[in-house]
Amino acid sequence: MALLNASLCCSNSRFPSRLHLPLPPSISDHSTPQVLNQQLQATRNLVLSVGESASKATFLAFLSASVFLADPALAFKGGGPYGAGVTRGQDLSGKDFSGKTLIKQDFKTSILRQANFKGAKLLGASFFDADLTGADLSDADLRGADFSLANVTKANLSNANLEGALATGNTSFRGSTINGADFTDVPLREDQREYLCKVADGVNPTTGNATRETLLCD
């Protein structure tokens, strides 16, 4: 209640100090008591009406701001289950997305260190220029996902399906676990391919493809 009163007080301070109200009917020395009462009542009603409208506007503004602060996700639409403006360019370190359906979700430039995506459906999701250091992407469906310029070092990609994913630019998988991962049709830099082939092992349980074969290892 104290917050509401403070908000109303601060909001009211933004209203102009001089309200341009219609002037009440002029009162002459020859007006009868009945006419004077009618004029005074009309002026009183006008002032009350303006005050009530201002109070309603202030309350609605306060209510909208309160909802936004309580749950930012309510302020966005589209872009996946979390909204386009919620997962892009955000610090989501350690957040739990395990098992969630996040098809075409936008994680561009977000910090996702140690985030949990285990078993998540991330088809077509964008991790462009994102930091996925230490993230758990095991058993995730990452077909067509965009890892361009992403930092995927020390991540867990065990049994992940990355068929057709993008990994252009300085994308790095250094120190990541890739046992059973499927890299079919992933355009890797030659230095990254050579590195991954040194640690590649296992067979993807979903596609049945051997990790080394999908990396075109010798």
Side-chain angles (χ1 to χ4, degrees), residues 33 58 74 105 158 168 172 182-184 191-192 196 204 211 217:
T58 302
L74 297 177
Q105 188 70 32
S158 300
T168 57
S172 175
D182 191 330
F183 285 89
T184 299
D191 64 308
Q192 284 294 295
L196 291 175
N204 187 272
T211 300
C217 300

Side-chain angles (χ1 to χ4, degrees), residues 29-116:
D29 295 337
H30 303 288
S31 298
T32 65
Q34 183 177 5
V35 172
L36 288 173
N37 287 335
Q38 291 176 347
Q39 292 171 339
L40 290 173
Q41 185 62 41
T43 301
R44 185 182 298 108
N45 290 341
L46 178 61
V47 172
L48 290 175
S49 177
V50 172
E52 183 179 358
S53 298
S55 297
K56 286 182 178 179
T58 302
F59 176 74
L60 289 175
F62 172 78
L63 183 60
S64 298
S66 299
V67 171
F68 175 77
L69 291 173
D71 189 353
L74 297 177
F76 302 96
K77 295 180 180 179
Y82 288 91
V86 175
T87 56
R88 179 175 182 171
Q90 302 294 310
D91 186 349
L92 301 168
S93 299
K95 189 170 179 63
D96 186 5
F97 294 102
S98 59
K100 294 187 179 298
T101 298
L102 300 161
I103 296 173
K104 295 184 178 180
Q105 188 70 32
D106 189 354
F107 291 97
K108 289 187 183 77
T109 69
S110 287
I111 301 173
L112 297 157
R113 290 171 172 265
Q114 286 81 46
N116 185 3

